[in-house]
Amino acid sequence: MVDVTVDPAKCIWAQEPATRFFESSVLGNGRLGAMVFGDPKTERVVLNESGMWSGGPQDADREDAHLFLAQIRQLMAEGRHVEAEAMTQAHFTCKGPGGAGPLFGCYQVFANLLLEVAEAGFSDYRRVLDLDSAVATVSYRSGGVHFTREAFVSAPHQAFVYRLIADRPGTVSFSASLQREAAATVRVDGNDLVIEGKLDPGVGFKGRLKIMATGGKVGVRGTSLFVEGADEAVLIFTAGTSLNDADFERTVDAQIEAASSTNYAELKAKSIEDHRHYFRRVELTLPAGPLAKKPTVERLKANIKGEGDPSLAALLFHFGRYLLISGSRPDSPLPTNLQGIWAEELQTPWNGDFHLDINVQMNYWPVEAVNLGDCHQPLLNYIPKLVPNGEKTAQAYYQARGWVAHVITNPWHFTSPGEYSSWGSFTTGGGWLCQHLWNHYAYSLDREYLKQIYPTLKGAAQFFLDILTKDAKHGWLVTGPSNSPESKFLDPETGKPIANCMGPTCDTQIVREVFTNVISAAKVLDTDSEFADEVASALPQLAPTRVGKHGQVMEWLEDYDEEDVHHRHLSHLYGLYPGDQISPDATPDLAEAAKVTLRRKSDDGVGWSLAHKASLWARLWEGDHAWKLLKRQLNLELDTGIRYDGGGGTYPNMLAACPPFQIDANFGATAAIAEMLVQGDADTIWLLPALPAAWKEGSFRGLRVRVGRTVDVTWRDGKVTHHQIHGPAADQVKVLQP
């Protein structure tokens, strides 16, 4: 057997090749992605490019929707919920099929790279993904020869690189082909393979594969390349799409020439150096017991049995950071979608799009805390691009100033409501995104950046000012029609489940946050005082977050019964996390109500919901409960069928299972672990606020809190033994351990 010396907190490894996508090794450079299966005889590498989208721009606004706004609100005020919902569906949805239509589009696989190798059998197999180097390695013996393969996706050279080498000269032989099920042709260009095509209706794409060998022979056979009797071979693949680069065809050719003219050692060294520039900013060490030496899938199986393995949490944490670096670089053209940048299908689940009622936001929850604020940039760049379409949508549906985005969006900045009002009329998707704009400032205190984003923040606030209306019963300012994301209450009159409503708690908490932040931004920038005063006068009139009959945080304006008390969404706890309106020290009554809410919801849930619950318990300083949720998320999952409740877990390659694969839970788990270790604001830093008993000792370095401070901590027996705060006024901040 091969001696295993991998780092249990930074390596994902297996003793067999992957046979399915969710077992393969994940690589990426923020735009190009690769999934390496590592089969010695028939290798498959799934190749991705972030701009691989069908679809295009569309006019999906109902221009007359605003004409029905007052009537919908009146029906809701009168408690005629069934009628109001029918009218919302008829007039307050998008024009046409929305996310179900061809123009909305779908993220999809670029191509498959297939290698056919002559070796008949193999032994001593090991496949390792090293998160610290971002290199996937496959090693095995066959016919008395030890073979090694290395793969990585280089950011400096914008190329996927795959090397095959053996310890006996002249034994590297294989054929290589590129395949795609639809919309593509493969041709030979000199000694290269080219795959190209166009997705309906217009995104063009091109990929180029080149092979270089030491010794032996390289040639072309049909639409395949082959290598015979080489000492080693290096494959280089580059790809581009018209969505990400108007001159993508020339760019692809230039990139392959630049990469192929660089020797392998330099390609690898520069790729590793670039990756470590990000990855080594943060360190986390947790106890590693005997389970830590087992293959990753065995550790996940042992987790189901309740066996202790704290270092598995460190692996989950580091993998989330790794995925951020691999899927969202500062220069990435698009933010990560529901699958990051990795997909094997032509039709990805839920189009692989950008969901704005928690999912794309969760992708970026950890980014500032884990010292990757520059990897936040793709989302920060994307949000202002929603504004032009969002302004049209705000006019069409609400006759409002400013801009709005609802639930689903895509590379063409779709802002209309979805095709079903039960989920598609959520009013505050754009407002939720504004939290990310503000958080980047709150962590950096970059005044020039704040000046750049202020118009977008102001536009969101203008929209909310214009759509808020007084609730007839209480006189509070509320949004509507909207919904509490994907949840339903039981109509007191008919008993029927209802989604559409006025003033769901989630909306109000988001509006309160937008208003608070835009007032602060105007003050910092010394601008727009009249507008800030207008916002400030509306702020105290917003509906408060209240406690209901069960002792829970109320989800709606009235204390309705839920259709499903265990529903996966917890949007009415937005003010606890990712917001900061509820906390154990500042609002103890609401914090207790949040605990009641979470207990009623149960500890079950799909992947991203488990991660959210862990973050919520962490904010409540309940470390053992947060760890319980993360351990639940770390249960091995093999199912890929769509589930909406229950069944969440982790696939053998550590990608999150909703199921199916949905990457937000990976990022959500990393955010939860960061919250368990340190929380802070401008005045106070809480060290180990939600430390589980199982993490008796450990250390972390480089985690960030607001106003640009970083924190290092070492602990033993659950108590801090050493800490250091770096950054502005570090010696003046209050440091506590709850």
Side-chain angles (χ1 to χ4, degrees):
M1 293 296 293
V2 177
D3 181 40
V4 177
T5 57
V6 297
D7 184 340
K10 295 177 186 170
C11 289
I12 298 168
W13 73 282
Q15 292 177 311
E16 60 279 321
T19 59
R20 292 170 286 189
F21 180 83
F22 58 72
E23 297 170 344
S24 56
S25 300
V26 187
L27 299 168
N29 69 0
R31 182 182 66 86
L32 296 175
M35 304 289 289
V36 178
F37 283 55
D39 192 311
K41 184 171 177 59
T42 306
E43 170 66 292
R44 177 189 176 199
V45 180
V46 177
L47 299 167
N48 295 111
E49 206 270 1
S50 68
M52 199 67 171
W53 275 82
S54 63
Q58 65 182 122
D59 176 12
D61 289 339
R62 295 180 185 268
E63 297 297 337
D64 64 346
H66 61 275
L67 299 176
F68 301 90
L69 179 59
Q71 190 173 352
I72 291 170
R73 287 174 168 174
Q74 184 61 36
L75 289 170
M76 290 179 174
E78 294 171 2
R80 296 160 66 182
H81 298 296
V82 175
E83 295 171 72
E85 187 148 285
M87 183 169 286
T88 306
Q89 176 62 38
H91 302 289
F92 247 70
T93 52
C94 60
K95 180 172 61 181
L103 273 181
F104 185 87
C106 176
Y107 182 65
Q108 52 192 270
V109 66
F110 190 96
N112 286 284
L113 168 62
L114 302 177
L115 305 183
E116 297 291 338
V117 184
E119 285 91 39
F122 59 91
S123 62
D124 293 348
Y125 182 92
R126 182 174 68 165
R127 176 167 51 91
V128 180
L129 173 62
D130 181 357
L131 305 183
D132 181 56
S133 65
V135 176
T137 304
V138 175
S139 62
Y140 60 93
R141 295 188 181 278
S142 181
V145 181
H146 183 254
F147 292 89
T148 302
R149 304 177 183 179
E150 292 182 328
F152 55 90
V153 183
S154 168
H157 286 91
Q158 288 296 306
F160 168 68
V161 182
Y162 194 132
R163 181 198 194 206
L164 301 91
I165 193 169
D167 65 356
R168 183 186 301 171
T171 54
V172 175
S173 300
F174 62 90
S175 64
S177 60
L178 294 170
Q179 296 182 2
R180 192 175 195 277
E181 291 182 17
T185 59
V186 178
R187 61 181 173 86
V188 175
D189 184 7
N191 290 320
D192 296 355
L193 284 188
V194 174
I195 185 168
E196 55 195 353
K198 182 179 288 188
L199 303 181
D200 186 27
V203 171
F205 63 92
K206 177 180 178 179
R208 183 178 282 271
L209 176 68
K210 183 184 288 289
I211 299 179
M212 299 167 293
T214 301
K217 178 182 179 183
V218 180
V220 177
R221 187 178 294 120
T223 54
S224 297
L225 304 181
F226 70 86
V227 174
E228 290 180 354
D231 301 337
E232 73 170 275
V234 177
L235 293 79
I236 297 178
F237 177 80
T238 59
T241 60
S242 60
L243 184 62
N244 284 341
D245 180 1
D247 201 21
F248 71 99
E249 293 174 305
R250 290 185 182 180
T251 301
V252 167
D253 293 342
Q255 287 169 342
I256 201 120
E257 289 308 311
S260 62
S261 63
T262 306
N263 69 64
Y264 176 79
E266 185 177 349
L267 284 172
K268 181 181 175 183
K270 286 189 174 181
S271 181
I272 292 174
E273 179 185 16
D274 177 83
H275 173 76
R276 286 177 175 167
H277 167 70
Y278 299 96
F279 191 78
R280 290 191 170 181
R281 294 175 185 175
V282 167
E283 183 58 85
L284 170 63
T285 302
L286 293 174
L291 291 170
K293 297 181 180 180
K294 293 185 177 182
T296 305
V297 70
E298 297 303 320
R299 298 174 73 184
L300 296 172
K301 289 177 181 177
N303 180 72
I304 295 176
K305 300 175 183 177
E307 299 182 39
D309 188 2
S311 64
L312 188 59
L315 179 62
L316 182 65
F317 173 80
H318 288 309
F319 188 51
R321 295 195 305 117
Y322 171 87
L323 291 173
L324 271 170
I325 299 163
S326 302
S328 185
R329 293 295 189 95
D331 59 352
S332 294
L334 290 167
T336 50
N337 60 51
L338 284 171
Q339 297 198 261
I341 58 171
W342 298 277
E344 67 170 339
E345 309 98 333
L346 297 178
Q347 177 61 55
T348 44
W350 303 288
N351 298 319
D353 69 14
F354 310 113
H355 272 43
L356 304 184
D357 58 351
I358 193 171
N359 309 99
V360 75
Q361 291 94 337
M362 185 180 284
N363 284 3
Y364 289 89
W365 278 357
V367 68
E368 299 289 343
V370 301
N371 218 333
L372 291 172
D374 39 3
C375 293
H376 211 163
Q377 206 59 51
L379 181 64
L380 305 180
N381 292 340
Y382 177 83
I383 295 168
K385 295 175 183 177
L386 291 167
V387 171
N389 284 349
E391 289 175 337
K392 295 176 183 176
T393 301
Q395 280 292 311
Y397 288 81
Y398 308 94
Q399 289 282 279
R401 298 171 297 167
W403 67 280
V404 62
H406 290 84
V407 180
I408 54 175
T409 190
N410 58 18
W412 297 278
H413 314 114
F414 185 97
T415 56
S416 307
E419 58 265 32
Y420 293 103
S421 68
S422 58
W423 53 264
S425 62
F426 179 57
T427 315
T428 46
W432 193 331
L433 286 174
C434 285
Q435 184 190 67
H436 289 264
L437 295 175
W438 176 259
N439 276 353
H440 189 64
Y441 167 75
Y443 275 82
S444 67
L445 299 186
D446 183 340
R447 194 172 183 276
E448 286 304 309
Y449 162 78
L450 184 63
K451 189 182 298 184
Q452 293 171 17
I453 66 167
Y454 180 75
T456 305
L457 294 176
K458 179 180 178 179
Q462 285 176 317
F463 170 74
F464 291 132
L465 280 175
D466 284 4
I467 71 162
L468 289 171
T469 185
K470 281 199 173 184
D471 166 55
K473 183 175 181 180
H474 306 285
W476 296 323
L477 292 178
V478 297
T479 59
S482 188
N483 56 57
S484 187
E486 303 182 38
S487 295
K488 295 181 180 180
F489 62 88
L490 297 178
D491 179 12
E493 296 298 321
T494 65
K496 292 183 177 180
I498 298 293
N500 297 132
C501 63
M502 297 296 292
T505 299
C506 179
D507 270 17
T508 305
Q509 291 173 346
I510 290 173
V511 173
R512 181 176 293 111
E513 181 179 80
V514 170
F515 281 2
T516 301
N517 291 343
V518 85
I519 292 168
S520 297
K523 183 177 181 180
V524 170
L525 297 173
D526 192 21
T527 189
D528 232 356
S529 58
E530 288 187 11
F531 179 72
D533 289 344
E534 183 183 0
V535 175
S537 67
L539 186 58
Q541 301 180 62
L542 295 173
T545 300
R546 293 180 293 157
V547 178
K549 58 191 174 186
H550 303 291
Q552 88 287 9
V553 173
M554 284 173 53
E555 189 165 359
W556 296 278
L557 271 178
E558 301 299 330
D559 201 1
Y560 297 127
D561 291 325
E562 308 95 329
E563 179 196 26
D564 176 9
V565 70
H566 299 141
H567 193 273
R568 61 195 174 275
H569 278 269
L570 299 103
S571 305
H572 51 308
L573 298 186
Y574 179 96
L576 174 60
Y577 188 87
D580 57 7
Q581 298 167 35
I582 301 172
S583 66
D585 57 330
T587 59
D589 291 345
L590 287 177
E592 285 301 315
K595 292 179 184 180
V596 172
T597 303
L598 284 164
R599 292 188 185 108
R600 294 183 79 236
K601 284 282 187 178
S602 85
D603 291 332
D604 198 10
V606 295
W608 62 263
S609 182
L610 293 171
H612 190 192
K613 289 174 182 177
S615 297
L616 291 162
W617 282 112
R619 277 285 173 92
L620 291 166
W621 299 347
E622 297 276 358
D624 287 332
H625 212 137
W627 179 219
K628 180 182 178 182
L629 269 298
L630 291 175
K631 283 177 67 68
R632 173 71 180 78
Q633 186 179 329
L634 281 165
N635 284 349
L636 178 66
E637 179 62 72
L638 300 176
D639 186 15
T640 58
I642 291 177
R643 283 190 234 167
Y644 287 97
D645 288 290
T650 297
Y651 290 123
N653 63 0
M654 293 296 292
L655 286 176
C658 186
F661 161 49
Q662 194 169 300
I663 205 167
D664 42 17
N666 285 110
F667 298 126
T670 295
I673 292 169
E675 289 291 326
M676 294 162 76
L677 297 172
V678 63
Q679 298 173 24
D681 55 30
D683 302 314
T684 307
I685 294 175
W686 290 269
L687 305 180
L688 308 182
L691 188 74
W695 301 0
K696 294 182 182 299
E697 60 185 29
S699 65
F700 67 81
R701 171 186 55 79
L703 291 179
R704 296 179 76 232
V705 292
R706 292 190 174 198
V707 306
R709 298 185 181 118
T710 59
V711 183
D712 307 336
V713 170
T714 301
W715 72 92
R716 183 178 293 275
D717 295 325
K719 298 296 182 182
V720 174
T721 58
H722 171 77
H723 78 271
Q724 191 167 3
I725 314 296
H726 312 268
D731 58 342
Q732 299 175 28
V733 67
K734 185 187 299 182
V735 179
L736 302 173
Q737 183 178 3

